[in-house]
Amino acid sequence: MSRKTDPSTLRRVAANFARFRAESGLTQQQAADAADMSLSAIFKIEQALNMPSSVTLAKFAKIFRRDVWEFQAENPAARPIPAPRPEPSVWAAKVKPGVEVDDDLQRRVEEFLADISDEQLERIRKRKEEDLRKSVKPAKKAHK
Amino acid sequence: MPLLDMAEIIRTARELRDRAALPGPPYSARDLMVTCFPDVLVTGAQLPTGLTELVEAGPRGKVIFYNRKSHPSTHRVGIIHGLGHLLFDLVGDIVGTEAANKRCALSFGPHQASQPAAERRADLFAGEILVPLEDLDKMITIELFPTDKIERQHFDDTVDNLASKFNVPVGFLRFRLWDLLQFRRSNFFIKP
């Protein structure tokens, strides 16, 4: 038994779908390719000719970086503009004598740095600061 | 600092040691970092094989990683070497590296020619902080790198003692004595 979708919901999903796709910078063809669907399926969704299944919506929510419920929302908020990526770190390393500086070594250094999270570094930093504060003893009072 | 400016390295190192009021030798790398560079995080790590030190500067701050697997005297050298990179390469001006490389090769002989100027500069900086040539010049009254067998034995013993006094690896002290030899030959030495 199939349940007929409310026309207003169908139109809302269609409009939101088209909007989210455009905001993601994808063409209909690119959206179709990303979801492994046909171009005509995308066309039908956006023209409110076909109500996508919940599985399809979940797939596109991931592609458009949206929540599934937003497809049916009245006025879904614009997706916040992602913060600009911070400048990448620069690094220098001292190698042991005889060690060749090649792409493999560079890759291992990059992996090493990526494995250490910002949070981890921040916690180490705070812990050291705390230790330093404790080690600074107040000045002794001069004896008369 | 676009070129390998030895006078600038000596001046910077002396200023930092004075600012940190290091009584050494041995000159404490930790006290220097805490006093002069509290914003630089120094921490040990299991670095990728082949590395003795790694320094990072970027959005998450400045970090010097020393190789925890190394001897503590090597940690000290690694930390100050990393600081040299931070001061001269990663944060400061790096223009002119190619020229510096050429000058480095000319100034320090073929055994150092393959070393990039930035590495050589960081080594010299670490050397000037931990084992100042000024100190070595006063302490070393015997012939440097003698060929006579007995003199060589005595020289090697002296190197071991000095490495212990400055708390640096023997190899690093030899590198400093080689520098001292070059500077004595070139009559280039800055007195305070």
Side-chain angles (χ1 to χ4, degrees), chain A residues 86-94 109-118 120-122 125, chain B residues 33 39-43 47 53-66 78-79 81-83 85-87 89-91:
Chain A
E87 287 295 310
S89 290
V90 286
W91 55 265
K94 183 168 177 60
V109 169
E110 295 287 354
E111 281 174 4
F112 166 81
L113 290 173
D115 280 348
I116 299 172
S117 69
D118 297 5
Q120 191 183 346
L121 278 184
E122 195 49 40
R125 201 186 295 274
Chain B
M33 294 304 297
D39 61 324
V40 179
L41 173 63
V42 178
T43 188
L47 291 178
E53 156 273 335
L54 176 64
V55 54
E56 180 191 14
R60 58 186 188 177
K62 298 165 203 157
V63 191
I64 296 173
F65 299 99
Y66 59 83
I79 291 165
H81 176 99
L83 177 65
H85 278 309
L86 266 181
L87 293 178
D89 306 319
L90 300 186
V91 179

Side-chain angles (χ1 to χ4, degrees), chain B:
Chain B
M1 192 170 66
L3 293 175
L4 192 62
D5 186 340
M6 194 57 205
E8 177 64 23
I9 291 173
I10 290 175
R11 201 162 30 245
T12 307
R14 186 184 295 151
E15 193 186 311
L16 289 173
R17 275 200 318 274
D18 289 349
R19 213 192 305 166
L22 301 182
Y27 296 101
S28 168
R30 182 192 178 273
D31 289 355
L32 183 115
M33 294 304 297
V34 166
T35 312
C36 302
F37 302 95
D39 61 324
V40 179
L41 173 63
V42 178
T43 188
Q46 301 280 335
L47 291 178
T49 308
L51 296 190
T52 58
E53 156 273 335
L54 176 64
V55 54
E56 180 191 14
R60 58 186 188 177
K62 298 165 203 157
V63 191
I64 296 173
F65 299 99
Y66 59 83
N67 194 337
R68 210 185 284 287
K69 286 178 275 187
S70 308
H71 189 271
S73 63
T74 309
H75 295 169
R76 287 161 39 76
V77 175
I79 291 165
I80 303 299
H81 176 99
L83 177 65
H85 278 309
L86 266 181
L87 293 178
F88 301 130
D89 306 319
L90 300 186
V91 179
D93 181 16
I94 58 167
V95 178
T97 304
E98 194 184 339
N101 276 331
K102 284 177 187 163
R103 184 164 166 180
C104 180
L106 290 172
S107 302
F108 295 97
H111 71 294
Q112 294 287 352
S114 59
Q115 220 175 359
E119 285 306 310
R120 178 67 181 144
R121 183 166 47 197
D123 276 342
L124 284 170
F125 177 73
E128 266 309 299
I129 291 281
L130 299 173
V131 190
L133 289 184
E134 212 175 300
D135 289 14
L136 274 186
D137 194 37
K138 288 175 196 155
M139 289 175 184
I140 289 276
T141 52
I142 59 171
E143 185 192 353
L144 291 167
F145 304 100
T147 47
D148 177 81
K149 199 177 173 185
I150 299 300
E151 282 301 311
R152 184 72 189 197
Q153 178 74 20
H154 180 53
F155 171 76
D156 288 343
D157 291 346
T158 307
V159 170
D160 292 342
N161 286 335
L162 285 173
S164 174
K165 190 176 182 67
F166 285 97
N167 193 11
V168 293
V170 171
F172 188 73
L173 197 97
R174 283 183 185 279
F175 149 75
R176 288 308 279 161
L177 289 174
W178 176 257
D179 284 340
L180 181 65
L181 184 68
Q182 301 306 306
F183 287 121
R184 279 181 175 174
R185 278 178 183 166
S186 62
N187 294 319
F188 177 85
F189 200 66
I190 295 177
K191 295 290 180 190

